[in-house]
Amino acid sequence: ERGSSRWGVKTKYLLHGMDPTNSKALKREIVFHSWEAVRDIEPFPRGVPEGWGCPAISNKAFHLVDQKIRRQSQRVLMWIIKE
């Protein structure tokens, strides 16, 4: 579900966890959003700034991903892996 956000481009997606390890994502308000602190360059090996558990990407990348998600007629499955 797409909604408004306080971060980045002011848009977020609510996440519905499908595994036991993330089944409370919606209840905990874990959302996918953009964030100014995430840059458009490869983060390896430094990594990206830590948020509060929400997956975040750069504003520029979010605009591209948001366009793709909005064109979908069905739910979108995201694999988010934290190393």
Side-chain angles (χ1 to χ4, degrees):
E1 181 179 337
R2 189 174 190 267
S4 61
S5 172
R6 297 183 316 202
W7 308 103
V9 298
K10 309 298 185 218
T11 302
K12 67 182 176 188
Y13 283 93
L14 301 179
L15 300 177
H16 299 265
M18 297 177 65
D19 289 330
T21 59
N22 64 13
S23 63
K24 295 181 182 176
L26 187 61
K27 182 179 180 180
R28 292 181 54 217
E29 299 181 25
I30 304 298
V31 297
F32 171 58
H33 61 86
S34 69
W35 187 21
E36 290 83 5
V38 180
R39 299 175 54 197
D40 284 320
I41 61 170
E42 172 63 47
F44 181 80
R46 248 181 104 209
V48 296
E50 288 293 323
W52 295 280
C54 294
I57 59 177
S58 72
N59 291 341
K60 183 178 177 181
F62 191 88
H63 280 297
L64 298 172
V65 172
D66 184 40
Q67 289 175 11
K68 291 178 184 275
I69 293 173
R70 291 178 76 182
R71 286 195 298 261
Q72 303 306 309
S73 59
Q74 297 180 350
R75 290 184 174 186
V76 174
L77 176 64
M78 296 177 69
W79 288 91
I80 301 169
I81 300 169
K82 181 178 180 182
E83 294 184 16

